[in-house]
Amino acid sequence: MSYKTYLKEANFVAGEWIGADSGKTIDVTNPATGEVIGTIPNSGRAETERAIAAAQETFGELSAMPLLERVGLLWKLHDALMDNQDSLGELLTVEMGKPLAEAKGEVAIGAAYVRWFAEEVRRAKGEIVPAPGNGRRIVVTKHPIGVVGMITPWNFPSSMLARKVAPALAAGCTVVAKPATATPYSGLAWAELCDEVGFPKGSVNILTGSAREIGGAMMDSPVVRKLTFTGSTEVGKELIRQSADTVKKVSMELGGNAPFLVFDDADIDAAVQGAMVSKYRNAGQTCVCANRIYVQAGVHDEFVEKLKVETAKMKVGDGREDGVEQGPMIDMDGVEKVEELLADATQKGGKIVLGGGRHEKGKSFFEPTIVTEATQDMRFAKEEIFGPLAPVFRFEDEDDAIAWANDTDFGLASYAYTRDIGRIWKLNEQLQYGMIGINSGLITTVEAPFGGVKESGLGKEGGSQGLEDYLDTKYTAIDF
């Protein structure tokens, strides 16, 4: 089946495919080729308000649906995703640029989230609490929170929506979602699939267009009881401020600045492979990418040489070509940000040992790059890179490394390679991050809570905690 089967150039509201009221559209381009692959409606507040109304109207039906019927629909959705993995993966690659193998993997983990929450909702149990006196029962129950607004990013346009839509539908909540303008089609495909498997009309509404107007309508509406956002910390802070007026529940998965620590006792080959996965996946455009690589002095040179060898092997190109391991960056703004960080580093003594410039393929392709002699006064020590740039810092003392790792406003993901069990527990205790990978550079899994601390966000996605964010807790006192 062609990827064009799921390339939907319309909004999905109340079970209908519609355009923007104004008739205006936005072009969507393939970052690998620059070609326009389609258009999407440039929608705003009015269309969003209708979507919210549709979600509210359907909420009673979906939340009252027998649990096993709702679970059954989620299983059908899982199967539909996997049955169409190839075409959905190609669609994702065409609009976003990542290698096809990564894109198909993203579709698969999105399906896994659907399956996980279909199972987990059957364990969303309340409790009976012992009362302080006779003649009373204290009952605690869980209930769907209501209509949920969702805003998702361009770097994982399918799986980021999966982590929100799946627990919402499992809990019995209805959805109004806005995918990123750069990568809208993977999000719109979810509307098509949810409709195909039989979710009630209005359960899932997806709109494209003005982030300010669509997001503003979500935040202003008293009907939208929860807003879940994945994106920049700057935008997340603004949404948190806006949520105060209607006291919405919010989940925020925001920026990261992940440290990757390699100690003298590490398995260096394993550390290099972990760094390759963590740093260069999706051309470095992930919130959990290794942003700062700290290597202890005793193994620094060996690590850098092996990392250089492995990085030099990477094939850069259109994600649909065989063997491509790194596609283009999403746009030229991303390229220019990497160039700015590189210029800052070299001016302050950093040494480019591999790459360092735009790729010969042109457009937004950028060479996988390694910089050594990195120091804490360089911009990438504090800022998220979001590109294929690997800065390597040298350290002597583990306490310094931990302090440097924590010296950031962010606290999403962190990584460390060591075989010292005492050090592992010390890292668990002292690293100020919501997620820690020990001897692994790829730690995301549906069974565990994904989310950060400090300015990296609020709430969790995945695990049992990911379902709790879509449920209200009620206490009922019964005297008899």
Side-chain angles (χ1 to χ4, degrees), residues 94-130:
V94 167
E95 67 174 343
M96 194 268 145
K98 68 177 61 176
L100 186 56
E102 286 189 27
K104 290 168 67 174
E106 180 177 337
V107 173
I109 196 170
Y113 275 108
V114 174
R115 182 174 62 187
W116 168 260
F117 285 113
E119 298 165 350
E120 191 65 14
V121 72
R122 300 186 69 185
R123 296 184 284 271
K125 296 174 287 189
E127 59 181 332
I128 297 177
V129 180

Side-chain angles (χ1 to χ4, degrees), residues 184-260:
Y185 296 125
S186 291
L188 289 165
W190 276 78
E192 173 73 5
L193 291 167
C194 287
D195 189 51
E196 283 182 9
V197 303
F199 278 97
K201 307 293 186 184
S203 297
V204 176
N205 306 272
I206 299 187
L207 305 105
T208 58
S210 167
R212 183 171 295 278
E213 289 195 29
I214 294 173
M218 290 180 184
M219 301 312 295
D220 290 344
S221 172
V223 170
V224 177
R225 295 311 313 145
K226 172 184 169 66
L227 188 285
T228 173
F229 170 76
T230 299
S232 72
T233 297
E234 180 183 12
V235 173
K237 288 179 178 180
E238 180 60 28
L239 292 171
I240 292 170
R241 281 189 284 268
Q242 292 175 12
S243 73
D245 289 339
T246 52
V247 195
K248 294 188 198 308
K249 191 173 187 177
V250 294
S251 297
M252 297 281 154
E253 199 265 278
L254 307 177
N257 188 359
F260 188 102

Side-chain angles (χ1 to χ4, degrees), residues 11 48 62 65 195 223 253 257 265 333 335 352 381 405 417 423 448:
N11 290 333
T48 309
L62 185 66
M65 182 182 290
D195 189 51
V223 170
E253 199 265 278
N257 188 359
D265 68 328
D333 287 345
V335 170
I352 297 174
Y417 277 74
R423 179 181 289 134

